[in-house]
Amino acid sequence: MGTIRPLQNQNLFDISLQEYGSVENVFDILEDNDIFDVTKDISVYEDLKVSREVFKKDIVEYYKSRNLKPATSLTEEEAELIDDFSGIDYMTLDDDFIIY
């Protein structure tokens, strides 16, 4: 297959799904590109090697025929929204969650 250039907000799982048809092949991408962290942010300026055989051809063909390129990483704005620690999950009794 060769190399591909990741798109904005794509992660290694997105690339695996797009190129191999399964997230199971993320470990092949890690090995082929000497990456040791599955959560590593990938750069849109660096090519990734994708040289293994397609795992699920029907899924790869589905993405290619519809020109779909999954990009599920969070933007900085989305991450800030998630980091807003508020709501009942973060309240403590008699501090900011008062029962009368």
Side-chain angles (χ1 to χ4, degrees):
M1 286 196 151
T3 62
I4 62 157
R5 176 80 39 111
L7 299 175
Q8 187 70 32
N9 295 333
Q10 277 191 321
N11 59 36
L12 293 170
F13 292 100
D14 296 329
I15 299 296
S16 180
L17 186 61
Q18 172 185 306
E19 297 299 317
Y20 298 115
S22 173
V23 295
E24 297 171 27
N25 293 82
V26 72
F27 299 106
D28 295 333
I29 295 172
L30 292 171
E31 184 178 336
D32 292 344
N33 292 281
D34 294 325
I35 300 173
F36 303 103
D37 182 8
V38 73
T39 62
K40 178 183 188 287
D41 290 333
I42 52 177
S43 172
V44 295
Y45 303 109
E46 295 178 20
D47 291 340
L48 287 175
K49 296 176 194 169
V50 286
S51 57
R52 308 279 177 121
E53 186 176 331
V54 173
F55 185 62
K56 295 187 178 178
K57 294 178 183 177
D58 56 332
I59 294 174
V60 172
E61 288 303 316
Y62 177 85
Y63 278 102
K64 284 185 181 181
S65 68
R66 289 163 177 76
N67 198 25
L68 297 174
K69 305 214 184 259
T72 60
S73 287
L74 296 177
T75 63
E76 289 181 23
E77 295 84 21
E78 293 168 333
E80 286 177 19
L81 289 173
I82 290 174
D83 288 339
D84 181 22
F85 300 115
S86 63
I88 199 162
D89 290 342
Y90 297 99
M91 294 180 177
T92 56
L93 286 174
D94 293 329
D95 182 23
D96 49 6
F97 185 71
I98 301 170
I99 301 173
Y100 295 101

